Amino acid sequence: MKLDWDDIQIFQKVGELGSFSKAAQVLDISQPTVSRRMYHFQETLGVSLFERSDKGLVLSEKGKVLFDMAFDMTRNADAFQLAAQSLMQKSQTVRVACSPLVGLALSDNLDEVIAGLPGVHIALLTSVNFVNLEKGEADIALRNQRPDKGNLRVQSLGENHFGIYGTSELKKRFHQEIMQENWQACPWVGYHSSMSQMPSRRWLAKNLGVTSPNLQVDHSLLILNAARRGKGFAILPTFTGEMEGLESLKRPLPDLVFENWLVSHEQTTHNSAISQVKQRLHKKLKRIFAL
């Protein structure tokens, strides 16, 4: 019995998504093709891999056993490709996924990170979309939750604390309100109500009673820019407030702290450029987060 690797990949994706049509969309092939190939795949194996239920398509008991193996196979194939690409590159751009504010802090220090590494460049990826290291979407990533799955190497960067910041002029203007902790009488810059899940917005409402900031935006860099221009007080990471020269009203804020993690794929250990950049980033970021 000779199996087709493409069929194993399709089976893994159907099992993961529980749908022929969804798997077809992700794999960029037609739904009839997925259905046909899975029919012949089951015929070749002599095993029924799927069952119909009220929730749709689910794996059979035998399908679950093979799915775990298929998942490991596809993950290892991705790792193999990633390692091969790393080994063949002479000039390399190391892609670092991080938040916009971390990216801003790093952008002034990149020369130090790549000093003495000929042919090595850094690309900061600050999109809000999740970056999958196992699929090679980035080489290094900063996370505020420790990953517990995948072939990943993880290093702690310490804690990321937050504080209330504003310009010195704004602090003087609202000195009395600040001393009386009449926070609702102060002007605030924060996330829009559509982003109510953001920790800083929740903290502001819960602890200071500010449920509707005077200026509401949808991006951390816009919050920082408005705070720098004196449009209102803002909750910012302490490293951001200190590096931007803003005045601190209160820091650190209780119950608003995250552990930071520097993450890379296991296979990138074979790549000297990525390993050295990661080592240097670790030292640099630990100093930044300690501010």
Side-chain angles (χ1 to χ4, degrees), residues 141-203:
L142 276 73
R143 303 270 169 82
N144 57 21
Q145 290 185 337
R146 183 187 177 101
D148 56 3
K149 295 180 180 179
N151 296 326
L152 302 175
R153 288 206 166 193
V154 181
Q155 290 178 281
S156 174
L157 291 168
E159 293 181 334
N160 183 11
H161 293 274
F162 289 75
I164 298 174
Y165 288 91
T167 61
S168 57
E169 293 80 4
L170 196 66
K171 186 177 180 180
K172 290 177 184 177
R173 195 190 321 164
F174 289 89
H175 175 75
Q176 184 174 349
E177 289 82 354
I178 294 170
M179 295 301 296
Q180 296 173 349
E181 295 192 352
N182 185 12
W183 301 111
Q184 296 181 43
C186 297
W188 288 92
V189 181
Y191 286 105
H192 184 259
S193 58
S194 62
M195 304 179 72
S196 59
Q197 80 282 2
M198 298 301 291
S200 61
R201 183 181 171 96
R202 293 203 309 266
W203 193 95

Side-chain angles (χ1 to χ4, degrees), residues 12-24 26-27 57 67:
Q12 186 271 327
K13 191 57 64 177
V14 172
E16 177 187 343
L17 300 175
S19 166
F20 287 157
S21 59
K22 289 180 181 178
V26 170
L27 296 170
L57 195 67
F67 173 79

Side-chain angles (χ1 to χ4, degrees), residues 181-248:
E181 295 192 352
N182 185 12
W183 301 111
Q184 296 181 43
C186 297
W188 288 92
V189 181
Y191 286 105
H192 184 259
S193 58
S194 62
M195 304 179 72
S196 59
Q197 80 282 2
M198 298 301 291
S200 61
R201 183 181 171 96
R202 293 203 309 266
W203 193 95
L204 196 58
K206 178 181 178 182
N207 293 275
L208 304 187
V210 179
T211 58
S212 182
N214 304 74
L215 176 58
Q216 301 180 31
V217 296
D218 64 353
H219 201 286
S220 58
L221 291 180
L222 294 178
I223 292 177
L224 172 60
N225 186 59
R228 284 189 301 201
R229 292 176 176 273
K231 302 300 182 182
F233 297 113
I235 294 178
L236 295 167
T238 54
F239 71 84
T240 300
E242 300 304 319
M243 293 180 74
E244 294 296 327
L246 293 169
E247 291 278 341
S248 169

Side-chain angles (χ1 to χ4, degrees), residues 64-79:
K64 291 177 182 178
V65 174
L66 294 178
F67 173 79
D68 290 339
M69 295 180 181
F71 181 82
D72 289 338
M73 290 174 68
T74 54
R75 185 174 64 181
N76 288 333
D78 289 339

Side-chain angles (χ1 to χ4, degrees), residues 6-210:
D6 289 340
D7 288 338
I8 297 174
Q9 289 181 295
I10 294 172
F11 162 61
Q12 186 271 327
K13 191 57 64 177
V14 172
E16 177 187 343
L17 300 175
S19 166
F20 287 157
S21 59
K22 289 180 181 178
Q25 185 176 8
V26 170
L27 296 170
D28 196 24
I29 55 179
S30 69
Q31 189 270 339
T33 298
V34 171
S35 300
R36 174 176 52 80
R37 295 195 68 150
M38 285 300 92
Y39 173 79
H40 289 299
F41 189 49
Q42 293 178 94
E43 288 286 305
T44 301
L45 294 173
V47 172
S48 178
L49 299 173
F50 306 103
E51 296 175 352
R52 291 287 179 181
S53 72
D54 295 338
K55 297 181 180 179
L57 195 67
V58 297
L59 290 165
S60 66
E61 289 303 314
K62 294 180 180 179
K64 291 177 182 178
V65 174
L66 294 178
F67 173 79
D68 290 339
M69 295 180 181
F71 181 82
D72 289 338
M73 290 174 68
T74 54
R75 185 174 64 181
N76 288 333
D78 289 339
F80 180 90
Q81 182 177 4
L82 187 62
Q85 290 173 343
S86 297
L87 290 171
M88 67 182 290
Q89 292 176 339
K90 295 180 180 179
S91 176
Q92 184 172 2
T93 297
V94 179
R95 299 160 299 163
V96 181
C98 59
S99 71
L101 291 179
V102 172
L104 182 64
L106 278 177
S107 62
D108 290 332
N109 298 276
L110 292 184
D111 288 343
E112 299 175 31
V113 175
I114 61 175
L117 300 178
V120 175
H121 310 280
I122 291 184
L124 295 177
L125 311 180
T126 61
S127 170
V128 295
N129 297 324
F130 181 81
V131 171
N132 192 321
L133 292 175
E134 292 198 277
K135 292 185 177 180
E137 295 175 352
D139 302 304
I140 301 170
L142 276 73
R143 303 270 169 82
N144 57 21
Q145 290 185 337
R146 183 187 177 101
D148 56 3
K149 295 180 180 179
N151 296 326
L152 302 175
R153 288 206 166 193
V154 181
Q155 290 178 281
S156 174
L157 291 168
E159 293 181 334
N160 183 11
H161 293 274
F162 289 75
I164 298 174
Y165 288 91
T167 61
S168 57
E169 293 80 4
L170 196 66
K171 186 177 180 180
K172 290 177 184 177
R173 195 190 321 164
F174 289 89
H175 175 75
Q176 184 174 349
E177 289 82 354
I178 294 170
M179 295 301 296
Q180 296 173 349
E181 295 192 352
N182 185 12
W183 301 111
Q184 296 181 43
C186 297
W188 288 92
V189 181
Y191 286 105
H192 184 259
S193 58
S194 62
M195 304 179 72
S196 59
Q197 80 282 2
M198 298 301 291
S200 61
R201 183 181 171 96
R202 293 203 309 266
W203 193 95
L204 196 58
K206 178 181 178 182
N207 293 275
L208 304 187
V210 179

